[in-house]
Every structure is written in structure tokens, then in C-alpha cells.
Amino acid sequence: LQSLYYFNLAAFRRVQSLSEHLNNDTMAGVFRSGATAVISGGASGVGFAFAQRCRSHGMNLALLDISSSNLKKAGEALKPKNNEKTETYTMDVSSTSDWSKVRADVEFKFGSVELLMLNAGASFKPEGGKQWEDPDYFHKTFGVNVFGPVNGLAAFLPLVQKTKEPASIVITGSK
């Protein structure tokens, strides 16, 4: 667990800066006790740091990640302090069926989603080291980094729009 925290120090500072900026805007109402955050890529890096920030506001968490071992560590680190709930979901963001299953379970367990953070991303290596000769490399890269957020929006936008409370969607990306 030390490596999880060590890895997240810089990410936590970026998230802290971002959330302080957002708290000065209309998103301030989203960070509140009892609100629910769904975070893809939530088991490490920026996603985990953002989950820590959400938990510090008393929010419920639905953490999505492809790594079940990282999810287990994140779930243990983000144990509820009061009446918050934490659920973890091992899933592939490029899979529309995974998104549908997670959405149904989140809706059943939490009822609403006030913060949707589409943060999962991955870097792949082409087979043989030559990306132009490996179409699967492009399919995997686009499947996660482009269609992951598209799939997440398609699955969760109706649930986010349904809430009567302030709600936001955050989509992150990296090089």
C-alpha cells in the first residue's frame, strides 16, 4: 500500500489544485456528503487521488478499474468513515457490456450519480515494436483511451442527468 500512496503524491497535489479551483465554481455543490462519485481508473494515479478527495467530502464511491489487485488495495484504503458506501468494479472500459453491468449495479446500490469521472487510460506496445504493422495495437489504444470515455458517457449520462442535485462530468486524458 505504500507504493500506492507514494505514486499518488504528485497526482493528489494536481487533484487538490483542480478541486480547489472547481470548488470556487459551480461544481462546489457536487463535493458533498452523500453524493456519489463514479471514477474509472479509480484504483491508482489521478483517479485514486480524486477518490481520496471525494471521500474527504463524505461522498460515496464507485471505483472502476481493470486491475482487481489495485482495486482491492484502493477499496481497503478508502474504507468508509461514517455512512459512506464504497463499491469496486473490475471492468474493461472498452467493453460496452461491462459498462452496462456496472451502471445497473451502481443505480441499484446508489440510486444516483452526482460526479462521473472518466479517467481510465492505458499505454500499449505494438507487437514487434512496429505500430504501423500492428492494427491490434491501435484497436486496443483507441478502445481504452477514446471509446472508454464514450462508453462511459453512453452508460452513465442518463443517470447523471436524472439527479435533482448538482452534478458534473470530468473527463481526463494524458499524453
Side-chain angles (χ1 to χ4, degrees):
L1 216 52
Q2 285 179 343
S3 63
L4 187 63
Y5 288 119
Y6 176 76
F7 179 75
N8 282 306
L9 184 58
F12 182 77
R13 288 187 180 134
R14 287 192 302 271
V15 168
Q16 186 175 20
S17 173
L18 172 66
S19 64
E20 285 169 3
H21 169 74
L22 293 173
N23 279 336
N24 293 328
D25 294 321
T26 58
M27 198 166 152
V30 173
F31 290 101
R32 67 182 185 289
S33 181
T36 298
V38 173
I39 304 171
S40 69
S44 63
V46 171
F48 178 75
F50 209 82
Q52 289 176 305
R53 185 68 170 189
C54 292
R55 178 49 47 85
S56 76
H57 288 278
M59 296 177 73
N60 298 313
L61 300 171
L63 305 177
L64 291 48
D65 207 284
I66 198 160
S67 171
S68 57
S69 62
N70 284 350
L71 271 173
K72 183 178 179 189
K73 291 176 190 174
E76 290 170 1
L78 294 167
K79 286 192 178 183
K81 295 178 178 142
N82 296 308
N83 293 325
E84 308 98 347
K85 298 179 205 171
T86 300
E87 294 289 334
T88 60
Y89 300 91
T90 302
M91 66 167 290
D92 177 355
V93 297
S94 68
S95 167
T96 56
S97 63
D98 282 4
W99 278 107
S100 295
K101 291 174 193 169
V102 169
R103 182 195 185 252
D105 196 66
V106 165
E107 186 171 22
F108 176 75
K109 290 181 177 170
F110 296 101
S112 64
V113 172
E114 287 75 27
L115 177 60
L116 175 61
M117 183 175 190
L118 301 171
N119 172 67
S123 175
F124 300 100
K125 293 187 183 214
E127 197 145 319
K130 297 180 180 180
Q131 60 191 13
W132 296 109
E133 296 174 13
D134 184 8
D136 288 338
Y137 158 78
F138 286 102
H139 285 277
K140 285 190 281 187
T141 301
F142 274 74
V144 172
N145 299 329
V146 176
F147 289 103
V150 170
N151 295 339
L153 282 171
F156 276 95
L157 184 59
L159 193 53
V160 173
Q161 290 175 319
K162 193 168 87 170
T163 185
K164 303 289 184 223
E165 301 295 330
S168 292
I169 296 173
V170 176
I171 301 174
T172 61
S174 62
K175 331 179 203 180

